[in-house]
Amino acid sequence: MRRTLIAGNWKMNLSRAEATELAKGVAAAKPGENTDVLVCPSNVYLDAVSTSVAGSSVAVGGQDVYFESGGAFTGETSTDMLKDVGCSYVILGHSERRNVIGECDKLINKKLHAALAAGLTPVLCVGELLEERESGKTTEVVRGQITGSLADVSADQMAKVVIAYEPVWAIGTGKTASPEQAQEVHADIRKMLADQYNEDTAGNVQILYGGSVKPDNAKELLGQADIDGALVGGASLKPDSFAAIIAAGN
Ligand code: 13P
C-alpha cells in the first residue's frame, strides 16, 4: 500500500521568524499512521526550519537544486548543501521554474539524476498549461515531461522518485482540477510508468496532486485511487489549513 505524502511548498514566501514559527506548528500536527509530511521553505531558511522540526517526523526539502556538485556556479545550491541543512527531499521541475525561469526537461533530468545519486528524494513536477488542456494536449504534454525528465532513470531508481501532477491553470488560481480530472491524469501517468517500467514499479510510485489544494477539497482529491498525496502552496502557509490537509490524508 502506498503511503500518503502531504508536502508544503512555501515558494518565495515568509520571513525567518514566520518560517520557523510555521515549521513548529507543522511539527505539532498529528499525521495519521500512513501519512508523511514534508515542508519546503526557501533555501535561506532551510537550516532554521530543519532545527524547528528536529525531533518530529516532518521532513524538509529544497525547492530546487543544481546538478553540479560544486564550483563556480553563482547563485546555485548543490545536493550536498541541501543534505547538510537537513533536506531529504527536493522539488524539481516546478511549473514556476519551467514557465517563469525557463527550465527544460533536459536540465530537470540532470538535476533529478544528481538528486538520486545524492540520496535525496526528488519530487518531480509535471503539468499542462490552460491552453494545452483546452486544446486536448494534456496527456501528450504530461507524458512528454515525464519521458524527458525521467530519461535514463532505472526501475530501481523509480522507487525513490515522487511525481507531482500540478496543472498550471490550477496553481494559485483557486481553480482546482476536479477529483475526476486529476484522477484521470494520475491514472495515465501510472499506466505510462507500467508500460515503461513494470506494474510493480508503477504501482509503488507516489503521485501527488497540486494546484489549489485546500482543507475543503483535500479529502475528495486524496480519496482518488491514484492520488497519493498533495503538494500544497498557499494553504501550506497557515498552520491551521495545512494541518487540516494533513488530517485529510489519514
Ligand atoms: P497552490 O496550492 O497555491 O495552488 O500552489 C500549488 C503549487 O504550486 C505547489 O507546488
Side-chain angles (χ1 to χ4, degrees):
M1 182 182 165
R2 293 184 298 270
R3 293 184 62 77
T4 299
L5 176 63
I6 307 294
N9 175 7
W10 296 354
K11 307 190 180 184
M12 198 171 73
N13 292 299
L14 307 173
S15 66
R16 180 189 184 90
E18 288 165 343
T20 50
E21 197 55 34
L22 176 58
K24 284 180 200 156
V26 175
K30 299 263 177 290
E33 259 181 29
N34 196 46
T35 300
D36 299 314
V37 178
L38 165 68
V39 291
C40 301
S42 152
N43 275 1
V44 293
Y45 303 133
L46 281 169
D47 211 359
V49 164
S50 290
T51 304
S52 297
V53 301
S56 78
S57 59
V58 175
V60 178
Q63 296 176 11
D64 186 36
V65 77
Y66 199 53
F67 61 86
E68 295 283 1
S69 58
F73 304 102
T74 302
E76 296 296 338
T77 305
S78 72
T79 52
D80 279 353
M81 290 171 180
L82 287 189
K83 290 199 296 182
D84 205 16
V85 290
C87 291
S88 48
Y89 285 81
V90 62
I91 296 172
L92 292 176
H94 191 277
S95 72
E96 286 140 23
R97 297 211 61 85
R98 289 178 185 269
N99 300 308
V100 181
I101 317 281
E103 287 196 10
C104 62
D105 288 322
K106 204 167 167 196
L107 175 61
I108 295 161
N109 179 246
K110 284 185 177 175
K111 293 179 172 188
L112 190 125
H113 279 285
L116 286 171
L120 288 168
T121 301
V123 178
L124 170 67
C125 301
V126 295
E128 80 286 4
L129 299 165
L130 182 60
E131 58 265 34
E132 291 166 339
R133 173 160 286 265
E134 285 176 343
S135 55
K137 292 200 177 124
T138 299
T139 306
E140 181 191 325
V141 167
V142 169
R143 284 184 166 234
Q145 289 170 336
I146 292 203
T147 305
S149 306
L150 291 179
D152 301 321
V153 171
S154 68
D156 281 353
Q157 287 175 314
M158 271 314 288
K160 309 238 170 60
V161 175
V162 175
I163 293 175
Y165 168 58
E166 299 203 307
V168 182
W169 48 271
I171 295 178
T173 58
K175 274 193 213 162
T176 324
S178 68
E180 296 73 28
Q181 281 175 319
Q183 166 59 25
E184 191 184 357
V185 179
H186 282 233
D188 185 64
I189 292 172
R190 212 177 292 285
K191 182 176 179 307
M192 181 188 174
L193 294 174
D195 293 344
Q196 204 165 313
Y197 296 97
N198 53 62
E199 291 287 346
D200 258 14
T201 302
N204 288 329
V205 172
Q206 278 181 313
I207 309 177
L208 318 184
Y209 169 79
S212 296
V213 176
K214 307 278 182 240
D216 62 2
N217 61 23
K219 191 103 206 156
E220 215 188 341
L221 285 161
L222 294 170
Q224 302 301 308
D226 288 294
I227 300 186
D228 309 314
L231 183 53
V232 188
S236 73
L237 297 174
K238 299 243 163 59
D240 290 355
S241 54
F242 196 50
I245 295 170
I246 292 169
N250 288 352

